[in-house]
Amino acid sequence: MDKKTIIVTGGAGFIGSNFVYYMLKKYPNYRIVCLDSLTYAGNLSTLKKAMENENFRFVKADIRDAEAVDNLFTEEKPDIVVNFAAESHVDRSIEDPQIFLETNIMGPKVLMDACLNHKVSRYHQVSTDEVYGDLPLDRPDLFFTEKTNLHASSPYSASKASADLVTMAYHRTYGLPATISRCSNNYGPYHFPEKLIPLMIINALNDKKLPVYGDGLNVRDWLYVEDHCKAIDMIIHADCVGEVYNVGGHNEMANIDIVKLILKELGKPESLIEFVEDRKGHDRRYAIDPTKIREQLGWEPETKFENGIVKTIKWYLDHKDWWEEIISGDYKNYYKKMYEGEA
Ligand code: NAD
Ligand code: DAU
């Protein structure tokens, strides 16, 4: 494999950090440069092992900062840019949409301008299945394909859909060599404690109530994070400029079933479950049709949910230091406001 330099934005977050480790391991001759502004969701301790690798560099910068981005591109001359950086939590976007629109739309715009100026050979926008809105529970025959209309529900998903449109506009208007992937819900190591699976594992371990929104029947299509990394790796190395790929492993599950499974694995009682007020505008069901990426690029998920969830629970048991540090900081105030009604 030729030597390449890849800028990975948002590499101190959940999926970005998993991607950094995946790429460092798979391509020992690549240079991986992580650009991350370290918001509440970014964590340098996550990248501790990567820092020991001479092919890795971390740069603290904001994707909205055109000068910082341009300076980094001048220094590193990247071949590929993969943009994971985003505000990613739906509940936070409902509380305060502003930063979501700024980071998730203007951030990619700044990166794409830099890609054009520096003649980067691929810009990859990491998007989400949420751009398609939701599907009804009583139509299990329906799935999101790449041709499904964009129909976002939350300020978060609207900002991601906007970024997709801007990416495609840059491709068509300016010839930006761009690709987009729209993945379903990921789970695995380094998942920030505010999200369903880590929140439920951590609360169960601490014998705290497990807050399930609404009736708990909302369905998400879960994919082990490494399988998402593999899909992005395949896309950025394929001759597929201008294409959009859905990524998902046909693993639909109701929230309540996930919560019960976690309790069972940890030997905790179901009496910890507490049904709470529903999320505003809560999407009912997501389900990806991954036919295109399978047929065109040969992508298949490798980790079955029953194995991935056990691995993930074990990871949280083995890495208490990582999440205890997070939940004892600013996160405490977020949790009180979100779940305990305190201002
Ligand atoms: P995350 O919240 O765990 O991490 C986001 C990272 O981006 C953090 O390290 C944060 O510091 C950084 N960041 C935020 N704003 C920034 C800015 N202005 N400049 C530089 N860095 C900034 O998110 P995640 O769950 O890892 O998601 C990564 C990407 O994948 C997002 O674009 C998200 O929309 C997409 N996605 C996530 C999922 C999922 O299930 N988590 C599924 C599909 C797509
Ligand atoms: O589908 C991909 C998306 O998945 C990504 O684009 C987002 O960045 C990512 O955060 C995720 O969004 P969701 O809203 O699906 O994930 P979350 O973990 O927040 O919630 C999953 C489901 O669990 C959802 O139906 C809401 C529910 N939930 C969540 C929390 C945090 C609860 O019932 N209780 C909770 O406390």
Side-chain angles (χ1 to χ4, degrees):
M1 219 18 113
D2 291 345
K3 194 169 164 44
K4 289 191 194 304
T5 296
I6 305 187
I7 291 185
V8 177
T9 68
F14 166 43
I15 310 174
S17 61
N18 277 281
F19 185 73
V20 164
Y21 285 116
Y22 182 94
M23 296 302 279
L24 285 173
K25 190 168 167 205
K26 183 160 176 198
Y27 301 100
N29 60 337
Y30 278 21
R31 180 167 171 77
I32 306 293
V33 180
C34 168
L35 181 157
D36 197 298
S37 65
L38 299 180
T39 67
Y40 79 92
N43 200 329
L44 260 195
S45 75
T46 301
L47 292 172
K48 214 166 112 195
K49 278 212 197 87
M51 302 283 194
E52 291 162 13
N53 189 319
E54 60 181 12
N55 291 337
F56 178 76
R57 176 184 176 197
F58 176 80
V59 177
K60 185 173 186 300
D62 194 310
I63 56 166
R64 294 167 297 168
D65 181 344
E67 197 183 331
V69 167
D70 193 69
N71 287 341
L72 184 64
F73 279 47
T74 303
E75 270 177 49
E76 293 288 348
K77 301 181 182 47
D79 301 287
I80 300 172
V81 173
V82 182
N83 179 33
F84 291 93
E87 289 293 334
S88 69
H89 193 34
V90 172
D91 291 326
R92 291 188 193 249
S93 83
I94 294 167
E95 289 302 304
D96 187 3
Q98 180 84 20
I99 186 72
F100 284 76
L101 306 189
E102 289 173 5
T103 296
N104 297 359
I105 306 171
M106 289 311 290
K109 185 255 176 211
V110 167
L111 292 172
M112 287 188 272
D113 283 339
C115 285
L116 285 172
N117 288 341
H118 292 265
K119 302 191 170 38
V120 170
S121 60
R122 180 70 63 90
Y123 172 77
H124 184 74
Q125 173 67 11
V126 181
S127 185
T128 165
D129 59 357
E130 297 202 12
V131 299
Y132 298 122
D134 63 353
L135 296 164
L137 282 185
D138 61 357
R139 289 292 308 275
D141 56 311
L142 295 180
F143 296 91
F144 298 136
T145 75
E146 291 79 2
K147 294 203 168 86
T148 303
N149 288 336
L150 301 189
H151 191 81
S153 312
S154 69
Y156 161 71
S157 50
S159 68
K160 294 294 291 184
S162 306
D164 284 11
L165 292 173
V166 177
T167 303
M168 279 304 137
Y170 264 58
H171 168 62
R172 178 165 171 157
T173 308
Y174 307 119
L176 178 76
T179 40
I180 295 177
S181 53
R182 296 183 179 140
C183 190
S184 60
N185 286 64
N186 286 210
Y187 69 100
Y190 301 115
H191 205 177
F192 196 79
E194 69 192 347
K195 306 285 169 59
L196 179 81
I197 289 182
L199 187 140
M200 297 301 166
I201 297 172
I202 291 169
N203 280 17
L205 286 173
N206 288 334
D207 295 309
K208 281 179 77 164
K209 288 286 185 193
L210 273 52
V212 174
Y213 297 163
D215 58 12
L217 296 179
N218 299 64
V219 167
R220 297 292 183 267
D221 187 357
W222 295 94
L223 184 74
Y224 194 62
V225 63
E226 215 170 80
D227 282 322
H228 185 186
C229 297
K230 180 177 144 186
I232 294 173
D233 174 26
M234 285 178 146
I235 296 169
I236 60 178
H237 287 98
D239 183 11
C240 59
V241 161
E243 296 294 332
V244 175
Y245 291 97
N246 283 355
V247 184
H250 280 305
N251 184 58
E252 291 177 54
M253 288 184 75
N255 294 337
I256 189 68
D257 293 334
I258 302 245
V259 171
K260 286 183 179 167
L261 185 75
I262 290 170
L263 287 169
K264 191 162 165 246
E265 284 294 328
L266 290 172
K268 300 284 181 173
E270 288 191 5
S271 55
L272 283 177
I273 295 173
E274 181 174 53
F275 288 94
V276 300
E277 194 183 329
D278 209 354
R279 174 185 277 175
K280 289 188 184 81
H282 198 173
D283 280 337
R284 207 52 171 152
R285 170 177 166 247
Y286 302 145
I288 282 278
D289 175 352
T291 306
K292 179 175 171 184
I293 190 164
R294 190 182 61 234
E295 288 186 350
Q296 289 191 5
L297 305 185
W299 177 85
E300 290 279 2
E302 283 172 23
T303 300
K304 290 206 166 68
F305 188 78
E306 58 263 36
N307 302 329
I309 192 69
V310 171
K311 266 206 280 192
T312 302
I313 293 173
K314 185 170 181 327
W315 189 89
Y316 280 85
L317 283 166
D318 293 343
H319 293 81
K320 278 192 176 173
D321 289 358
W322 182 83
W323 55 263
E324 276 175 347
E325 196 184 322
I326 293 172
I327 66 170
S328 61
D330 275 354
Y331 182 76
K332 264 200 297 209
N333 298 328
Y334 165 79
Y335 196 91
K336 279 190 188 146
K337 194 169 162 217
M338 265 304 290
Y339 296 97
E340 292 160 7
E342 288 181 29

